[in-house]
């Protein structure tokens, strides 16, 4: 009997290229993430996708997709569907998924999410048209895409689909398995944010816990000093200029960017160099705010502080992923990262009212995420599905919006000792109809193995 070993997550710099958010890909973090990954040439293709899957109209838009058939062995072999999330797609998946495909003889396919990159229904970012940007439409897109692949790729008609995703797309992976179980037989949800939390103070609290007391106090010190600088006209202008932001950007928007810089450093595997840099500045008497500004520009790029992602005025007219993702948060998913009441890392002006105000100013009065209804539909932290592996990390603040424990015999929840979608090696072995998941954290080499029934591979003899 042939046993297939799938490497579904890699450690640190060997991780998938899609881990760093698109608005933060101008610096060292992104450059370090690109080295040493297996790549496969594939040209961008487009197919006609339905604008609105829940309307009788058959209006369509052109949706980008990629197919890697290098290792595909044809009839009966699986299809690995890599789900993309909140960003443009410039090529097929690289790295670990291609190693998996080689072991399985699998086809690899991926599709750009609607309203990102060049896959824009009606080429329109107006509020009226953005109402076509929902989780429900995205899941229906995936289902339609799977049908398209089965009909248009030779040998894929009888193939079973396994979907893989991380962060928001990790949540989509879980929800896709839940809503379309006849289309996809199993799902891998890495840091999958399945729980739509409205007042997400747990995010800041988890960043503080992961940073440790000394580093968390250094981050709080930066926040306090910048808050003070913002309180005077001269200081306000100077500190925003120091970080490359517009001098008239809203203070709450600016402080959201400041909070994200340190939080992202921790969640994407740069905790040690962040904390070391802050400690060295404190002990040497260097200006800690200037040190942090330099660190932010180095790690995330010089444009990070002045980009559109946090800027309400810019978001009003933006035609990129920044407006699309903010719409998804404001209209449905929330994850509004407000400052907690006790010992926050982020400024207290980054509160819930400020983020609700940003939603209404960027879009329209009354745009508001009904997270209670959303979680009722999809199960929140307790998804009502089977054959899904949920993987989270001990340093990752997004784990608070994920699955914390296995939901049943056909679901697995694993915690790794790394950051957001950057997990230690997880080895998944498919032997006929069973999937074994093993995890060996590097700190103590403890091994965890679970079994999930997932028929993916035809029986074969050695």
């Amino acid at each position: 009997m042939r046993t297939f070993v799938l490497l579904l997550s890699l450690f640190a710099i060997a991780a998938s290229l899609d881990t760093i958010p698109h608005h933060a890909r101008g610096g060292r973090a992104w450059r370090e993430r690109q080295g040493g990954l297996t790549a496969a040439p594939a040209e961008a293709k487009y197919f006609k996708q339905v604008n609105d899957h829940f309307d009788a109209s058959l209006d369509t838009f052109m949706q980008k997709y990629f197919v890697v058939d290098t290792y595909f062995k044809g009839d009966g072999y699986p299809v690995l569907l890599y789900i993309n999330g909140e960003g443009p797609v410039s090529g097929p998946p690289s790295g670990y998924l291609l190693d998996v495909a080689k072991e399985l003889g699998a086809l690899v396919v991926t599709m750009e999410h609607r309203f990102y990159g060049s896959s824009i229904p009606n080429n329109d970012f107006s509020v009226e048209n953005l109402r076509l940007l929902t989780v429900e439409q995205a899941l229906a897109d995936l289902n339609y895409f799977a049908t398209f692949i089965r009909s248009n790729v030779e040998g894929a008609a009888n193939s079973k689909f396994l979907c893989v995703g991380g962060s928001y797309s990790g949540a989509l992976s879980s929800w896709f398995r839940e809503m379309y179980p006849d289309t996809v037989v199993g799902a891998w949800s890495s840091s999958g944010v399945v729980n739509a939390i409205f007042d997400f103070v747990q995010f800041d609290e988890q960043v503080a816990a992961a940073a440790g007391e000394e580093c968390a106090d250094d981050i709080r010190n930066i926040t306090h000093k910048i808050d003070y600088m913002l309180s005077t006209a001269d200081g306000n202008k100077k500190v925003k200029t120091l970080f490359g932001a517009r001098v008239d950007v809203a203070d709450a928007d600016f402080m959201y960017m400041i909070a994200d810089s340190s939080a992202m450093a921790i969640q994407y595997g740069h905790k040690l160099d962040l904390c070391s840099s802050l400690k060295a500045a404190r002990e040497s008497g260097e200006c800690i705010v200037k040190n942090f500004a330099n660190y932010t520009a180095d790690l995330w790029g010089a444009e990070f502080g002045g980009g559109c992602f946090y800027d309400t005025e810019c978001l009003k007219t933006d035609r990129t992923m920044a407006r699309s993702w903010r719409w998804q948060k404001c209209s449905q998913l929330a994850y509004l990262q407000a400052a907690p009441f006790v010992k926050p890392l982020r400024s207290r002006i980054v509160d819930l009212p400020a983020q609700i105000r940003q939603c209404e100013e960027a879009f329209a009065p009354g745009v508001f995420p009904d997270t209670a209804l959303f979680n009722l539909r999809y199960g929140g932290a307790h998804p009502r599905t089977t054959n899904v592996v949920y993987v989270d990390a001990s340093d990752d603040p997004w784990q608070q919006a994920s699955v914390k424990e296995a939901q049943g015999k056909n679901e697995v929840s694993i915690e790794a000792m790394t950051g957001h979608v950057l997990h230690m090696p997880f080895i998944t072995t498919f032997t006929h109809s069973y999937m074994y998941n093993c995890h060996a954290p590097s700190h103590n080499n403890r091994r965890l193995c679970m079994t999930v029934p997932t028929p993916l591979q035809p029986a074969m003899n050695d």
Side-chain angles (χ1 to χ4, degrees):
M1 181 183 297
R2 188 181 299 272
T3 298
F4 297 95
V5 177
L6 285 72
L7 192 59
L8 287 186
S9 283
L10 300 182
F11 173 62
I13 63 171
S16 164
L17 288 183
D18 289 335
T19 53
I20 303 296
H22 286 264
H23 72 284
R25 293 186 176 183
R28 171 168 56 88
W30 175 242
R31 293 193 300 271
E32 290 177 355
R33 205 66 77 220
Q34 295 183 77
L37 294 179
T38 304
E43 64 174 314
K45 300 181 179 181
Y46 292 84
F47 75 109
K48 289 184 178 180
Q49 179 63 271
V50 178
N51 271 8
D52 187 348
H53 294 275
F54 309 104
D55 185 272
S57 169
L58 294 180
D59 291 343
T60 61
F61 69 99
M62 301 307 293
Q63 193 158 28
K64 183 192 291 186
Y65 73 100
F66 292 88
V67 173
V68 179
D69 59 5
T70 307
Y71 307 112
F72 187 42
K73 294 184 178 180
D75 189 35
Y77 283 81
V79 175
L80 302 180
L81 169 58
Y82 185 87
I83 300 178
N84 286 290
E86 65 281 22
V89 178
S90 58
S94 58
Y96 71 91
L97 206 60
L98 298 185
D99 297 328
V100 172
K102 186 175 182 179
E103 291 291 338
L104 281 181
L107 182 72
V108 176
V109 299
T110 191
M111 176 188 72
E112 191 169 62
H113 195 296
R114 62 170 52 210
F115 284 95
Y116 294 95
S118 57
S119 302
I120 315 296
N122 303 316
N123 194 31
D124 180 5
F125 286 86
S126 68
V127 171
E128 181 180 1
N129 199 57
L130 282 171
R131 298 191 189 280
L132 293 174
L133 176 52
T134 65
V135 166
E136 291 72 27
Q137 296 285 0
L139 295 176
D141 283 349
L142 290 167
N143 188 57
Y144 193 89
F145 179 57
T147 301
F148 172 82
I149 291 297
R150 284 194 170 109
S151 300
N152 289 275
V153 176
E154 184 177 357
N158 299 313
S159 294
K160 298 183 184 299
F161 275 63
L162 171 72
C163 60
V164 178
S167 192
Y168 164 59
S169 70
L172 286 175
S173 186
S174 173
W175 296 329
F176 189 39
R177 167 61 187 162
E178 177 182 354
M179 302 305 292
Y180 296 93
D182 293 334
T183 299
V184 59
V185 299
W188 181 275
S189 178
S190 184
S191 298
V193 286
V194 294
N195 189 13
I197 300 175
F198 179 62
D199 189 6
F200 196 14
V201 297
Q202 300 96 319
F203 185 93
D204 192 90
E205 293 168 345
Q206 182 61 44
V207 174
E213 185 175 352
E214 182 182 36
C215 188
D217 282 342
D218 283 337
I219 296 171
R220 293 186 184 101
N221 186 30
I222 291 170
T223 300
H224 295 330
K225 289 183 181 299
I226 296 177
D227 272 338
Y228 178 77
M229 294 180 73
L230 291 176
S231 68
T232 69
D234 185 56
N236 193 300
K237 182 178 180 179
K238 284 183 177 179
V239 74
K240 289 175 180 175
T241 301
L242 183 62
F243 281 87
R246 290 190 304 110
V247 295
D248 55 349
V249 68
D251 290 352
D253 294 354
F254 177 71
M255 292 308 291
Y256 187 2
M257 179 275 296
I258 294 295
D260 240 15
S261 177
S262 57
M264 287 167 53
I266 289 171
Q267 76 186 65
Y268 290 112
H270 292 274
K271 177 172 69 174
L272 293 180
D273 66 53
L274 168 68
C275 295
S276 296
S277 177
L278 299 184
K279 181 178 180 179
R282 168 169 45 83
E283 292 180 344
S284 69
E286 178 187 356
C287 175
I288 197 169
V289 174
K290 185 175 181 180
N291 172 276
F292 186 60
N294 291 336
Y295 179 85
T296 295
D298 171 61
L299 192 63
W300 308 122
E303 304 300 319
F304 179 80
C308 197
F309 192 80
Y310 306 96
D311 187 337
T312 302
E313 283 301 313
C314 183
L315 287 170
K316 291 178 181 180
T317 57
D318 182 57
R319 291 179 57 83
T320 72
M321 59 80 59
R323 180 168 170 84
S324 298
W325 180 237
R326 194 67 61 194
W327 168 263
Q328 288 197 261
K329 292 181 65 175
C330 289
S331 65
Q332 198 168 34
L333 298 170
Y335 313 129
L336 302 180
Q337 298 158 28
F341 183 74
V342 178
K343 297 185 70 175
L345 296 185
R346 63 193 55 216
S347 172
R348 293 188 186 277
I349 67 174
V350 187
D351 57 8
L352 199 57
Q355 295 183 62
I356 294 172
R357 184 165 59 249
Q358 183 181 64
C359 290
E360 294 196 335
E361 291 182 8
F363 301 109
V367 172
F368 190 85
D370 189 343
T371 53
L373 178 62
F374 187 87
N375 288 330
L376 182 64
R377 178 175 298 154
Y378 294 104
H382 305 282
R384 298 177 295 271
T385 187
T386 59
N387 290 2
V388 180
V389 179
Y390 299 96
V391 187
D392 285 292
S394 57
D395 278 357
D396 185 9
W398 287 101
Q399 68 175 283
Q400 301 299 328
S402 187
V403 173
K404 304 297 290 181
E405 59 186 17
Q407 303 298 297
K409 67 179 182 178
N410 287 353
E411 287 188 352
V412 173
S413 177
I414 311 171
E415 182 172 298
M417 295 182 179
T418 50
H420 193 55
V421 205
L422 297 176
H423 304 119
M424 308 294 280
F426 286 85
I427 298 175
T428 304
T429 303
F430 288 93
T431 307
H432 287 281
S433 63
Y434 290 95
M435 182 169 71
Y436 302 92
N437 303 278
C438 303
H439 167 219
S442 63
H443 295 291
N444 56 19
N445 293 321
R446 183 165 48 93
R447 186 178 176 94
L448 303 175
C449 296
M450 297 83 168
T451 303
V452 184
T454 308
L456 289 173
Q457 181 70 35
M460 300 178 63
N461 295 323
D462 284 328

